[in-house]
Amino acid sequence: MTTRVAIIGIIVENPDSVEPLNQLFHTYGTYIIGRMGLPYRAHQINIISVVVDAPQDIISTLSGKIGRLSGVSAKTAYSNCIFESED
């Protein structure tokens, strides 16, 4: 199986979507290398970056599920490197 490294940039404008977002992070936790969240209180939004190492279809699925949450925007940037999984 091949994997890619990608970063998903997320902006959360709806506080009610935080719990479902955290549930997605838990569900896909085996693929997450790290994440960083910044509350931007001046505009009452949260900015999150999540770095993943996963197969292309898993990255696309996760990003799509995040983007379908109410008041949440997500964009994904992929590395050009493709790796053979150790599994």
Side-chain angles (χ1 to χ4, degrees), residues 31-52:
Y31 302 105
I32 295 174
I33 298 170
R35 66 180 176 170
M36 178 180 64
L38 301 169
Y40 193 11
R41 290 183 183 92
H43 293 289
Q44 297 180 351
I45 62 173
N46 294 294
I47 303 158
I48 304 167
S49 60
V50 178
V51 180
V52 295

Side-chain angles (χ1 to χ4, degrees), residues 14 17-18 20-22 24 64-73:
N14 180 357
S17 292
V18 171
L21 179 60
N22 283 329
L24 284 172
K65 287 180 177 183
I66 291 170
R68 283 191 293 279
L69 294 173
S70 174
V72 178
S73 302

